Amino acid sequence: MSFRKVVRQSKFRHVFGQPVKTEQCYDDIRVSRVTWDSTFCAVNPSFVAIIVEASGGGAFLVLPLHKTGRIDKSYPTVCGHTGPILDIDWCPHNDHVIASGSEDCTVMVWQIPENGLSQPLTEPVVVLEGHSKRVGIVTWHPTARNVLLSAGCDNVVLIWNVGTAEELYRLDGLHPDLIYSVSWSRDGSRFCTACKDKSVRVIDPRRGTVVAEKERAHEGARPMRAIFLADGKIFTTGFSRMSERQLALWDTENLEEPMGLQELDSSNGALLPFYDPDTNVVYVCGKGDSSIRYFEITEEPPYIHFLNTFTSKEPQRGMGWMPKRGLDVSKCEIARWARGRRGRGEGPPDPPQTLHDPLCSPGRFYKLHERKCEPIIMTVPRK
């Protein structure tokens, strides 16, 4: 008599989140109160940037990662915009370059000094003017240097050459309504968008055409988001007609029906997805939630497998995600995790690990509270 395996085999079934100690948080930060479904936070291996409240314009903090503890109210900010800042994104090819989009209809690109800011930064390296309404999305091209995409409330997507401040492509008329999210494919040949008209579109920017489109990807009227996965599939979050929050997985070759669809709960905060291509795990954070859910994407049905939930007491205002190259596994995350597992002095030290071993490559979130930023370390325990 054979018994079917009840528990699915997965290396990531026991992923867990652990907040850092209080002294390792960034305290006394006035996080922006702008009503926009952005992450409000961007992180790279050198700095954490946070959109903050500012009078008479828009501003964001740029803090070296090691500058934890209480942040003085007089700490200098990046403050060249004349309207509130809606989105920020670090350049993947230069850890000292960051782009910002604002209600003043401009995109600005900033050069951050080696050791962070010692005085307010008001002069951007480049100002990109081409939108007629506020700019809600900025995202760098994943493989081409100096290529930046911006999307505005004028329903226009612009792709810029930042080095010359020129428009490379203007994609007008492809979206009839507000664009909620934009995500590049891994090789940067296409991008997908989620729009207020409830459609998900796959766009070839060179040809300026919609390659694939799914109408009414989620039936609800509230904001949805779409991201490209490493294998070319699309992961979306949105709402059902009954206002229940949903996750869905789509094959771009056939968008008629989702490969997988799950309903989560009936909260009203927009779901922000973060994707780790090395482990094929998607982390889903709801604005205003106090939890982070994570799911593994596989080739076998039902394709979206719930792993676990990290829960805390405080709701999140926004969230930043550290790229994998910024994780110091041999000294920081792994050392701290190994001590918690074995205790000090118990047995021989763990062998050194490398970033190429996916089982010891944790993720790190930067969770925004109302007045602070709290790093959360995600780890996979070894056997």
Side-chain angles (χ1 to χ4, degrees):
M1 184 178 177
S2 63
F3 291 94
R4 184 172 59 87
K5 285 185 179 179
V6 177
V7 179
R8 185 180 66 89
Q9 290 296 313
S10 170
K11 297 175 181 177
F12 309 108
R13 199 152 41 88
H14 301 292
V15 172
F16 66 95
Q18 189 172 11
V20 300
K21 296 177 181 175
T22 305
E23 60 268 21
Q24 293 172 302
C25 295
Y26 306 86
D27 281 314
D28 213 13
I29 295 169
R30 295 176 299 156
V31 178
S32 174
R33 295 179 177 275
V34 173
T35 53
W36 186 254
D37 286 321
S38 161
T39 59
F40 289 168
C41 182
V43 191
N44 71 17
S46 302
F47 301 102
V48 53
I50 302 165
I51 302 174
V52 293
E53 286 283 285
S55 56
F60 61 94
L61 273 174
V62 175
L63 302 170
L65 288 184
H66 60 79
K67 187 171 176 55
T68 53
R70 184 179 175 276
I71 307 301
D72 195 273
K73 284 186 174 64
S74 62
Y75 193 86
T77 60
V78 180
C79 51
H81 284 285
T82 57
I85 293 171
L86 302 179
D87 197 19
I88 50 177
D89 193 34
W90 287 105
C91 176
H93 306 104
N94 186 337
D95 284 346
H96 295 270
V97 172
I98 187 170
S100 58
S102 166
E103 284 192 5
D104 64 12
C105 307
T106 66
V107 176
M108 294 185 181
V109 179
W110 309 86
Q111 177 83 34
I112 305 301
E114 188 76 29
N115 299 315
L117 299 179
S118 56
Q119 58 187 24
L121 184 59
T122 58
E123 292 298 323
V125 179
V126 181
V127 180
L128 305 174
E129 296 178 306
H131 289 284
S132 59
K133 293 185 179 179
R134 59 183 183 167
V135 182
I137 298 168
V138 288
T139 178
W140 292 90
H141 194 280
T143 57
R145 186 183 289 269
N146 281 345
V147 176
L148 178 70
L149 180 150
S150 64
C153 294
D154 51 7
N155 311 334
V156 176
V157 175
L158 295 177
I159 298 176
W160 304 89
N161 180 341
V162 173
T164 60
E166 293 176 313
E167 282 183 22
L168 293 177
Y169 303 99
R170 170 178 282 264
L171 305 175
D172 199 351
L174 300 183
H175 299 87
D177 213 328
L178 180 68
I179 302 166
Y180 285 138
S181 75
V182 177
S183 172
W184 288 102
S185 62
R186 200 162 191 199
D187 62 1
S189 62
R190 301 175 297 166
F191 62 84
C192 67
T193 64
C195 182
K196 193 175 181 179
D197 68 352
K198 304 179 185 177
S199 289
V200 171
R201 295 173 176 86
V202 180
I203 295 170
D204 181 338
R206 292 181 181 88
R207 290 190 291 168
T209 57
V210 176
V211 179
E213 180 176 355
K214 173 58 183 175
E215 297 179 358
R216 307 186 76 83
H218 295 276
E219 296 279 354
R222 296 187 60 79
M224 64 181 190
R225 298 178 86 87
I227 56 171
F228 257 119
L229 305 186
D231 60 2
K233 294 183 178 67
I234 293 175
F235 182 89
T236 62
T237 64
F239 291 80
S240 70
R241 190 178 296 168
M242 304 300 292
S243 294
E244 292 176 309
R245 297 198 290 191
Q246 294 179 322
L247 313 173
L249 184 67
W250 306 86
D251 183 350
T252 53
E253 300 300 319
N254 179 15
L255 290 173
E256 286 299 314
E257 293 294 330
M259 296 174 63
L261 178 68
Q262 290 191 16
E263 293 190 346
L264 293 186
D265 53 35
S266 53
S267 296
N268 59 7
L271 290 169
L272 308 176
F274 296 86
Y275 174 58
D276 182 355
D278 297 324
T279 59
N280 233 22
V281 172
V282 176
Y283 300 85
V284 178
C285 314
K287 274 225 162 183
D289 290 5
S290 55
S291 62
I292 302 171
R293 296 179 177 92
Y294 24 108
F295 302 81
E296 185 177 1
I297 310 298
T298 67
E299 295 295 326
E300 307 84 36
Y303 305 108
I304 305 172
H305 302 273
F306 173 73
L307 291 175
N308 210 335
T309 303
F310 167 80
T311 306
S312 57
K313 294 179 182 177
E314 297 292 326
Q316 54 230 13
R317 297 281 299 278
M319 194 72 73
W321 166 254
M322 173 69 79
K324 191 63 66 72
R325 62 193 173 87
L327 302 176
D328 190 353
V329 268
S330 62
K331 294 179 183 177
C332 180
E333 283 86 0
I334 291 300
R336 185 184 302 140
W337 160 37
R339 278 203 303 271
R341 182 168 168 258
R342 281 186 174 163
R344 292 179 182 171
E346 293 181 23
D350 290 318
Q353 305 291 337
T354 68
L355 278 172
H356 302 294
D357 177 2
L359 287 185
C360 69
S361 298
R364 199 191 312 175
F365 281 101
Y366 285 72
K367 174 182 172 179
L368 297 187
H369 299 245
E370 194 168 340
R371 299 283 296 190
K372 76 172 181 179
C373 174
E374 175 188 39
I376 298 168
I377 297 165
M378 313 298 293
T379 47
V380 183
R382 285 171 296 210
K383 289 182 179 178

